[in-house]
Amino acid sequence: MEHIEEHPGFEAAREAAEYIAEKTGVSRHDIALTLGSGWSEAADLIGETTHTLNAAEVPGFHAPSVPGHVGTLRSVLTPKGTRVLVLGARTHFYEGKGVRAVVHGVRTAAAAGATTMILTNGCGSLRGEWLPGTPVIVSDHINMTAASPLEGATFVDLTSLYSPRIAEVARGVDSSLPSGVYAQLTGPHYETPAEIRALRTLGADLVGMSTALEAIAARHAGMEVFALSLVTNLAAGSTEASLDHQEVIAAGKEAGPRISRLLAEIVASL
Ligand code: 8IG
């Protein structure tokens, strides 16, 4: 079997990790955290930000193209002394930069030494009882992108991809947290009501445009994976209303204090 370091994309990740180590003076990070829609301020309680880098300056990263997304990489020191690499710049599949670009942040985190990958996202809910502002633990995913971050005959097991151990830790922090199956679609359009009915039949509870491909890359890199979704809208057809990006930003603002505390307490408990 090929060594992971030889997989396409890892060389670029190693370069980015070296750049981060050099600019921050932090040779190793323990945990990495990707901030999705609605989560941009949720990392502020985790610890002290000791260094901030502009994503565009770090090899292989791109400034985000989405309003409400922040284009920085930060090194955060927790009160316990854990080093967290906060990735505020996610490349989405719909940007057309290829799957390697989509998972570059995850691979960079792995190359920077992180053994835990925490992925957050904003998503639509297929469950009427999970209203906008509800955080949900991702228990599993359905990859509807017809793509993979793995190239060549790289057969990676995805059983228990989303760490049951960290899900337990999260429920220890907030026992009311539900968990559900996340379907990643390519976007950038939202779904039709018929597509949402089809996804419900397939077993999806949440729908979004990120996370699954990144989780696969994180597993391939040997990381423990945890994902938290913030419901920012009911999926298409759930109500008479149409979907718009302003609603997504508003739901994130509203849920801000709760999800910030949640994330900080989970990280502190790892
Ligand atoms: I935020 O309803 C957010 N991202 N595909 N559907 C899809 N992606 C999303 C949605 C949604 N809400």
Side-chain angles (χ1 to χ4, degrees):
M1 215 180 77
E2 66 150 15
H3 203 252
I4 270 184
E5 277 71 31
E6 281 145 31
H7 196 87
F10 270 91
E11 182 55 38
R14 197 160 36 246
E15 254 178 62
E18 275 166 21
Y19 182 91
I20 291 165
E22 186 189 308
K23 291 287 171 170
T24 63
V26 179
S27 60
R28 242 193 96 82
H29 285 81
D30 306 298
I31 296 172
L33 168 63
T34 298
L35 299 175
S37 291
W39 293 87
S40 58
E41 273 134 53
D44 295 352
L45 297 181
I46 288 172
E48 181 202 350
T49 297
T50 60
H51 308 85
T52 302
L53 303 177
N54 198 321
E57 77 183 82
V58 183
F61 282 79
H62 306 272
S65 56
V66 183
H69 290 221
V70 266
T72 62
L73 276 70
R74 287 147 63 189
S75 183
V76 175
L77 182 62
T78 73
K80 283 194 344 198
T82 306
R83 272 289 168 185
V84 183
L85 182 64
V86 178
L87 305 167
R90 175 184 251 147
T91 295
H92 286 87
F93 188 78
Y94 56 72
E95 292 175 61
K97 298 187 171 85
V99 185
R100 268 190 222 175
V102 170
V103 300
H104 181 63
V106 167
R107 287 181 173 151
T108 296
T115 52
T116 302
M117 187 72 230
I118 302 176
L119 300 163
T120 65
N121 63 60
C123 69
S125 167
L126 282 73
R127 298 269 208 126
E129 71 274 26
W130 298 347
L131 298 173
T134 308
V136 181
I137 297 169
V138 175
S139 58
D140 205 347
H141 78 224
I142 301 174
N143 174 10
M144 300 288 287
T145 67
S148 172
L150 310 185
E151 301 176 44
T154 313
F155 306 119
V156 169
D157 172 54
L158 298 183
T159 315
S160 302
L161 173 55
Y162 297 89
S163 171
R165 183 188 78 84
I166 302 180
E168 262 322 294
V169 168
R171 277 189 290 266
V173 169
D174 182 346
S175 60
S176 76
L177 276 178
S179 57
V181 173
Y182 177 96
Q184 178 176 0
L185 277 70
T186 62
H189 51 273
Y190 293 119
E191 296 68 37
T192 63
E195 285 167 341
I196 292 299
R197 286 193 298 276
L199 287 166
R200 195 175 280 123
T201 301
L202 293 177
D205 301 301
L206 305 167
V207 63
M209 306 176 195
S210 68
T211 304
L213 295 171
E214 291 151 273
I216 294 167
R219 162 62 63 91
H220 177 229
M223 304 167 98
E224 189 173 13
V225 182
F226 179 65
L228 267 181
S229 289
L230 175 68
V231 172
T232 59
N233 57 275
L234 290 174
S238 306
T239 66
E240 303 291 294
S242 55
L243 305 186
D244 81 308
H245 190 66
Q246 291 316 310
E247 172 187 24
V248 168
I249 293 172
K253 277 218 170 70
E254 179 87 15
R258 181 181 174 203
I259 62 176
S260 300
R261 274 198 307 279
L262 178 63
L263 206 49
E265 287 177 31
I266 292 170
V267 168
S269 308
L270 290 179

